[in-house]
Amino acid sequence: MELAALPDARRRWRVRLALRWWGQLGLCLLPMLVLVALREPAAAAPAQSGLPLFGLGLLSLFVSLPLFRAYKHALIATGRALDSAAEPDAWACLAACRRRALFGAGLPAWSGAAGLWFGLESVAALLLCGASLVLLLLYRLPRQLA
């Protein structure tokens, strides 16, 4: 690949990663929105049966710690590889690390959505969804990679 074509390839990578981020945001929020819309107000589920899923959602926040560390190192490596011959490989590595990290960031929201079926209160499910949104915001690409 020629070095003159790298800025165009960089733009394509940024657009592709931005679209994947928005797609993952939709995948995090869609189950919650669908289950809230389908939930009957008089659902007779035991109050304590959703609590283990809330705890599981809180514990899944710790899954993102090593994933964020790997993403951060890939981000630094991509920044160092800009305008070099290793840039396409660095973008591919960053995309792979970010894909795993976005999946880990969605775990609390999915746990909250699953908990709605088992009697988890809506406030607790929204807290887990908010935690996922905060984690997803960590994985936006910085402007320095433009």
Side-chain angles (χ1 to χ4, degrees):
M1 176 176 261
E2 295 179 22
L3 290 178
L6 285 178
D8 185 44
R10 187 180 309 158
R11 191 171 330 134
R12 284 194 309 262
W13 272 108
R14 286 188 56 83
V15 168
R16 185 180 309 151
L17 290 175
L19 288 175
R20 287 181 185 167
W21 186 88
W22 283 105
Q24 185 67 29
L25 178 67
L27 284 176
C28 281
L29 295 180
L30 189 64
M32 183 73 70
L33 295 174
V34 168
L35 290 176
V36 166
L38 296 178
R39 187 176 183 185
E40 296 177 11
Q48 296 294 329
S49 61
L51 193 58
L53 282 172
F54 180 72
L56 184 66
L58 288 178
L59 287 176
S60 69
L61 290 170
F62 292 105
V63 170
S64 66
L65 290 175
L67 296 173
F68 182 74
R69 188 178 311 117
Y71 170 74
K72 180 178 65 172
H73 289 301
L75 198 60
I76 292 169
T78 303
R80 288 182 181 158
L82 292 180
D83 296 326
S84 70
E87 185 175 353
D89 294 332
W91 280 105
C93 179
L94 177 66
C97 287
R98 189 169 179 242
R99 187 179 320 114
R100 287 188 298 272
L102 288 176
F103 177 74
L107 290 177
W110 296 329
S111 177
L116 287 175
W117 283 103
F118 297 104
L120 184 65
E121 292 292 325
S122 298
V123 173
L126 285 175
L127 285 173
L128 290 173
C129 189
S132 282
L133 290 176
V134 169
L135 288 175
L136 283 172
L137 286 175
L138 290 175
Y139 297 113
R140 304 249 356 226
L141 284 179
R143 292 184 181 158
Q144 289 85 358
L145 290 181

